[in-house]
Amino acid sequence: MMRRCPLCHAQESALYHQDRRRDYYQCATCALVFVPSEQYLTAAAEKAEYDQHQNSPQDTGYRRFLGRLFNPLATKLAPGARGLDFGCGPGPTLSVMFEEAGFDMDVYDIFYAPHAANLTRQYDFITATEVVEHLAAPGEALNQRVAQLLPGGYLGLMTKRVTSQQAFARWHYINDPTHVCFFSEATFRWWAAEQGLTVEFTGNDVVIFRKH
């Protein structure tokens, strides 16, 4: 059965992995690994999963985790740069960290901060930590974020990357029922080329793109 890739919309994909709950296909064009849409959770069930997350700016461990994106990105930003944290979740923390460092921040989350106006503004930088793996339409969402970036702006993402089929089969990351898209370095390089972005991998789950 042909599966349309949710990132590049190509029709050519092959079964990559199967477990008791779901199937995982890999796109022949961009190498994204994805779960078919009929195996997604309902929106209500998805939100119920997120409601269990106990993240907050008071959690030093969570701040340390987010620091893997914050530290390399903050050093690139001009003073007074304005940012958007896309998919901020129920306890926005990365935005607080940037504000503490002197940057103005807006937030957006489809469930917890549905401020639609913030999806039409222009920003110097946009972050999305542990977000892209949840997106049903990552192509649209990511392309829209690039359109929101001012020239020279940065898009910083945190998501764990696919490395091999063998590792994928044993990967805890695929056990989360809200994770439906899995990116590899090859996928990010393909997408960056399509969008005309430079790409830098600053950690094994961090990638920073720059708009020319």
Side-chain angles (χ1 to χ4, degrees):
M1 181 175 180
M2 299 308 280
R3 299 286 182 181
R4 182 186 286 274
C5 174
L7 179 64
C8 73
H9 306 301
Q11 295 278 13
E12 293 281 323
S13 62
L15 189 66
Y16 188 74
H17 179 65
Q18 225 169 1
D19 57 30
R20 287 194 304 277
R21 291 178 309 181
R22 305 193 296 181
D23 303 317
Y24 306 84
Y25 290 84
Q26 186 173 45
C27 176
T29 300
C30 70
L32 184 79
V33 178
F34 60 94
V35 172
S37 57
E38 67 269 17
Q39 296 177 2
Y40 289 2
L41 295 180
T42 63
E46 186 182 1
K47 182 175 183 294
E49 290 279 334
Y50 302 144
D51 286 344
Q52 296 170 29
H53 293 186
Q54 298 295 318
N55 300 330
S56 85
Q58 286 75 49
D59 182 339
T60 52
Y62 187 50
R63 279 177 174 255
R64 204 160 46 242
F65 169 72
L66 294 175
R68 288 171 21 204
L69 173 60
F70 172 82
N71 293 325
L73 181 54
T75 61
K76 298 176 185 294
L77 302 175
R82 182 176 183 83
L84 170 69
D85 187 27
F86 176 75
C88 62
T93 300
L94 186 60
S95 56
V96 173
M97 292 165 65
F98 276 108
E99 283 174 342
E100 289 167 352
F103 301 101
D104 280 342
M105 290 295 291
D106 288 337
V107 295
Y108 176 84
D109 190 282
I110 192 169
F111 294 120
Y112 303 104
H115 312 310
N118 292 347
L119 299 184
T120 60
R121 296 197 171 99
Q122 298 257 273
Y123 294 98
D124 299 300
F125 67 101
I126 296 174
T127 58
T129 54
E130 294 286 312
V131 173
V132 294
E133 65 274 14
H134 303 280
L135 298 174
E140 282 75 7
L142 288 170
N143 295 359
Q144 286 162 4
R145 300 297 76 73
V146 172
Q148 285 187 267
L149 284 177
L150 291 160
Y154 294 95
L155 173 65
L157 306 180
M158 273 184 87
T159 187
K160 290 183 169 48
R161 296 199 288 270
V162 176
T163 54
S164 71
Q165 234 168 329
Q166 292 72 21
F168 192 91
R170 302 188 300 271
W171 202 17
H172 71 93
Y173 211 56
I174 68 175
N175 297 330
D176 184 327
T178 66
H179 290 179
V180 296
C181 286
F182 305 93
F183 292 75
S184 61
E185 196 170 305
T187 303
F188 281 133
R189 288 191 189 282
W190 178 91
W191 181 73
E194 286 290 302
Q195 295 290 318
L197 308 173
T198 53
V199 57
E200 182 185 356
F201 298 95
T202 61
N204 59 11
D205 58 352
V206 178
V207 56
I208 298 173
F209 301 93
R210 190 172 195 194
K211 188 171 182 174
H212 295 315

